[in-house]
C-alpha cells in the first residue's frame, strides 16, 4: 500500500517553484521535506536522517543548529533585528567590517554589504564600471571572464557568466562580456596525455596555453575588470585550477591596467584550505566578493571589499551626484552580521584549523577509491571541495548526454542511502560541513561509490 504524501510535501508541490529545477520532474515524486538539523545531519518529516553532503548548497561551515551561532542570533534579537543602512550605522556590521578588512589586508580597505553572491558581484561590477569611466580608462567599460563562468543570476552577474545552459535564454536582457579559456585541465584541448588509469591524474608538461590565451585577450581590449573564481570554478563543475594559474593571470591583469574581481562566494572561509582562496597564491584582488559561508550558512548576507582608490572616485559634493547609487533594504543586517562574527571566531580557532586539515586528508584517501570505477573520469579536490566527474567512456573522456540524467540519478540513489548532494550536470560535488566526523566522511564517499555502481554499473578499470 502506497504511503500518503506528507502534508508539507503536498503544500510544496502545490505552491512552491524551486530554483534550477524542472518542476515537471519535481511533481512526479514526493519531495524530501527537511524539518531539523544538528551538526552534519539533517532530518525529514518522516524521521529519516541524512548527511549534508554539500553543506546546504555550499553555505554551511560549522554544522546545523550550532550553539555558538544560535546564541549570537539570540543575543542580537534582544537588542534589534534590523535597521536601515541608508544614513545609519550599526554595531555588528561595523565590527564585522573591521575583522574582514584586517584579515584581507591592503589594498582592500572598504566594504559594501548586500544580500547574496549575485548582489556581491553586482556591486563589484557597477563599481568597476564607473571607476573605469571616471578615471578615463573607457567610455564603455567591458568585462572579461572565463569560459564556463557562473557569477550569479542578477542581470549584471548573469552577463558575466558563460554557461549557455544557464545564460543563453536571457541573451536579450544581457550586456556583452568577453570570455577566455578556462584552465580546466581534465578537458584541456592542449592536453594530449592518454587517459590511462595508472597516470589518470597526470598530464604532459603544461605549457600554460590557458594563461597565454588570457594575456592575448587582455592585449586586444582595455577591460574594466576581469572576473575570476580563485582556484575553483564551482558551477562549471568543480573545476580546479592548476597551481600557479591564478598568480600568472593576476600579474597579466595588473600589467594590462584592468582591475581584478575575485568571486570568492563559494571558495572563501576555509573551504579551499585558506580563509580566502586567493591567499594560496598571494593574490589580493581589487574587489573581493563574499557570501554563502559568510554567516556560517545561517542567514543571507554578502560583502564586497574594494580599495581606497575605487572608493575615492565616488567622493564629491552632494550636488555632484558622485554617490554610489546602489543599495539593499537589508544591507548590513544586524542578525546576519552578528552570526557572521560568531562564525568568524569559530573559523579561526586553532582546533578548527587543525580539524579542517585532517578532514582534507581523510577525504583525499577516501576519494582515491573512486578511480577504480569505470564510470568515473576524474576526481578533483581542493581543500574541502570535491568534484567527481562521471563519464560514459573514461578512455575517451566522453560525457554522458543530458538526457541520461546520470548525475541526477546518482544523487537520487545517494539520497535513498541517506546522503544529500546536488549534481552539476555529470559532476557530483561533495562539500562537507567542518563538523563532519571521519566516519561520516567515509560514509559520504562510500555511499557515492555504491550509488555510482547501482546507477551506472559495477565496471572496474
Amino acid at each position: 500500500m502506497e504511503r500518503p504524501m506528507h502534508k508539507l510535501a503536498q503544500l510544496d508541490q502545490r505552491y512552491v517553484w524551486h530554483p534550477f529545477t524542472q518542476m515537471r520532474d519535481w511533481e512526479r515524486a514526493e519531495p524530501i521535506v527537511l524539518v531539523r538539523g544538528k551538526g552534519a545531519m539533517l532530518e525529514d518529516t518522516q524521521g529519516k536522517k541524512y548527511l549534508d553532503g554539500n553543506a546546504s548548497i555550499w553555505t554551511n561551515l560549522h554544522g546545523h543548529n550550532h550553539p555558538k551561532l544560535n546564541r549570537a542570533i539570540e543575543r542580537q534579537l534582544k537588542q534589534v533585528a534590523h535597521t536601515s543602512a541608508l544614513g545609519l550605522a550599526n554595531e555588528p556590521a561595523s565590527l564585522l567590517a573591521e575583522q574582514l578588512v584586517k584579515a584581507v589586508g591592503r589594498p582592500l580597505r572598504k566594504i559594501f554589504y548586500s544580500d547574496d553572491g549575485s548582489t556581491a558581484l553586482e556591486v563589484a561590477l557597477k563599481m568597476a564600471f564607473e571607476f573605469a569611466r571616471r578615471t578615463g580608462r573607457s567610455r564603455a567599460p567591458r568585462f572579461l571572464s572565463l569560459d564556463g563562468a557562473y557569477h550569479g543570476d542578477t542581470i549584471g552577474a548573469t552577463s558575466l557568466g558563460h554557461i549557455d545552459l544557464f545564460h543563453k535564454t536571457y541573451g536579450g536582457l544581457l550586456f556583452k562580456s568577453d570570455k577566455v579559456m578556462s584552465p580546466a585541465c581534465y578537458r584541456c584541448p592542449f592536453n594530449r596525455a592518454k587517459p590511462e588509469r595508472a597516470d589518470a591524474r597526470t598530464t604532459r608538461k603544461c605549457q600554460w596555453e590557458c594563461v597565454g590565451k588570457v594575456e592575448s585577450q587582455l592585449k586586444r581590449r582595455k577591460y574594466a575588470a576581469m572576473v575570476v573564481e580563485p582556484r575553483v570554478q564551482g558551477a562549471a563543475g568543480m573545476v580546479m585550477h592548476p597551481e600557479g594559474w591564478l598568480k600568472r593571470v593576476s600579474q597579466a591583469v595588473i600589467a594590462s591596467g584592468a582591475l581584478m574581481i575575485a568571486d570568492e562566494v563559494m571558495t572563501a572561509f576555509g573551504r579551499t584550505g585558506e580563509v580566502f582562496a586567493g591567499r594560496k597564491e598571494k593574490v589580493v584582488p581589487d574587489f573581493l566578493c563574499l557570501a554563502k559561508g559568510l554567516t556560517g550558512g545561517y542567514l543571507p548576507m554578502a560583502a564586497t571589499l574594494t580599495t581606497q582608490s575605487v572608493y575615492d572616485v565616488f567622493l564629491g559634493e552632494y550636488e555632484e551626484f558622485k554617490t554610489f547609487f546602489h543599495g539593499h533594504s537589508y544591507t548590513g543586517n544586524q542578525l546576519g552580521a552578528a552570526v557572521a562574527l560568531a562564525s568568524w571566531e569559530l573559523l579561526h580557532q586553532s582546533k578548527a584549523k587543525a580539524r579542517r586539515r585532517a578532514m582534507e586528508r581523510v577525504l583525499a584517501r577516501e576519494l582515491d577509491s573512486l578511480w577504480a570505477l569505470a564510470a568515473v573520469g576524474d576526481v578533483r579536490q581542493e581543500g574541502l571541495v570535491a568534484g567527481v566527474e562521471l563519464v560514459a567512456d573514461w578512455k575517451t573522456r566522453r560525457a554522458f548526454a543530458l538526457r541520461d540524467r546520470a548525475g541526477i540519478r546518482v544523487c537520487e540513489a545517494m539520497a535513498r542511502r541517506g546522503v544529500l548532494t546536488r549534481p552539476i550536470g555529470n559532476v557530483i560535488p561533495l562539500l562537507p560541513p567542518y563538523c563532519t566526523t571521519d566516519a561520516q566522511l567515509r560514509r559520504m564517499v562510500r555511499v557515492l561509490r555504491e550509488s555510482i555502481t547501482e546507477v551506472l554499473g559495477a565496471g572496474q578499470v
Side-chain angles (χ1 to χ4, degrees), residues 15 47 62 65 108 116 132 141 245 280 292 296 309 321 330 343 353 356 414 424:
Y15 299 118
H62 313 291
N65 210 2
L108 301 180
D116 57 24
W245 180 90
K280 282 192 164 184
K292 287 194 183 293
S309 58
F321 297 114
Y330 284 89
S343 175
K353 293 178 182 178
R356 291 197 297 273
M414 291 177 72
I424 308 168

Side-chain angles (χ1 to χ4, degrees), residues 322-449:
K322 287 187 173 181
T323 300
F324 181 50
F325 290 104
H326 180 98
H328 304 267
S329 299
Y330 284 89
T331 289
N333 170 256
Q334 285 96 321
L335 292 177
V339 74
L341 279 166
S343 175
W344 186 256
E345 289 180 16
L346 287 173
L347 195 69
H348 286 81
Q349 291 177 350
S350 56
K351 283 186 177 180
K353 293 178 182 178
R355 177 60 194 148
R356 291 197 297 273
R357 289 193 293 271
M359 286 179 65
E360 289 180 27
R361 293 191 293 270
V362 173
L363 184 59
R365 285 198 303 269
E366 296 302 310
L367 289 170
D368 204 53
S369 68
L370 301 178
W371 286 102
L373 299 178
V376 171
D378 197 25
V379 180
R380 303 187 278 271
Q381 182 186 357
E382 175 85 12
L384 289 173
V385 182
V388 179
E389 184 162 346
L390 308 174
V391 291
D393 186 335
W394 66 265
K395 290 183 178 179
T396 63
R397 299 184 175 93
R398 179 167 60 86
F400 284 103
L402 278 176
R403 64 178 177 274
D404 294 328
R405 301 173 70 251
I408 291 173
R409 289 188 292 132
V410 167
C411 287
E412 288 172 346
M414 291 177 72
R416 291 193 293 272
R417 289 172 167 83
V419 176
L420 298 178
T421 188
R422 183 178 173 89
I424 308 168
N426 293 323
V427 176
I428 310 299
L430 288 179
L431 292 85
Y434 302 157
C435 62
T436 308
T437 66
D438 289 357
Q440 289 172 331
L441 281 172
R442 287 192 290 269
R443 182 184 163 202
M444 278 185 192
V445 180
R446 183 183 72 249
V447 164
L448 173 55
R449 186 168 58 249

Side-chain angles (χ1 to χ4, degrees), residues 89-104:
N90 74 65
E91 180 183 14
S94 301
L95 294 174
L96 178 61
E98 179 188 33
Q99 292 294 324
L100 291 174
V101 168
K102 283 185 174 179
V104 174

Side-chain angles (χ1 to χ4, degrees), residues 132-294:
R133 293 200 325 137
R134 294 184 185 185
T135 58
R137 180 170 175 81
S138 174
R139 290 183 179 179
R142 194 127 166 177
F143 293 84
L144 180 65
S145 53
L146 295 178
D147 193 12
Y150 172 86
H151 298 290
D153 296 324
T154 51
I155 293 300
T158 300
S159 297
L160 299 173
H162 298 291
I163 301 177
D164 282 351
L165 185 65
F166 296 162
H167 303 127
K168 193 173 182 179
T169 300
Y170 307 108
L173 292 171
L174 309 179
F175 63 78
K176 174 71 174 174
S177 67
D178 294 337
K179 68 178 179 180
V180 70
M181 177 185 176
S182 166
C185 297
Y186 180 63
R187 297 197 177 279
C188 174
F190 300 103
N191 179 6
R192 299 291 182 256
K194 294 180 180 179
E196 300 298 338
R197 299 307 265 223
D199 55 43
R201 284 160 287 184
T202 65
T203 61
R204 64 159 177 77
K205 185 172 175 59
C206 180
Q207 300 298 313
W208 293 105
E209 291 92 345
C210 53
V211 174
K213 296 285 186 182
V214 175
E215 291 170 339
S216 297
Q217 188 63 38
L218 288 169
K219 290 174 182 175
R220 289 192 189 101
R221 186 188 296 271
K222 282 188 175 182
Y223 287 100
M226 182 174 180
V227 191
V228 173
E229 290 177 87
R231 305 283 295 192
V232 184
Q233 282 179 265
M238 296 304 167
V239 172
M240 316 298 181
H241 296 170
E243 185 71 34
W245 180 90
L246 181 64
K247 184 70 173 178
R248 289 166 181 255
V249 165
S250 172
Q251 291 168 345
V253 171
I254 292 170
S256 76
L259 303 180
M260 175 170 273
I261 300 173
D263 176 352
E264 292 230 26
V265 169
M266 184 270 284
T267 59
F269 306 115
R271 181 55 69 182
T272 57
E274 291 281 353
V275 177
F276 305 111
R279 188 175 286 178
K280 282 192 164 184
E281 298 188 37
K282 296 181 172 57
V283 170
V284 180
D286 301 284
F287 296 91
L288 177 65
C289 301
L290 306 171
K292 287 194 183 293
L294 177 59

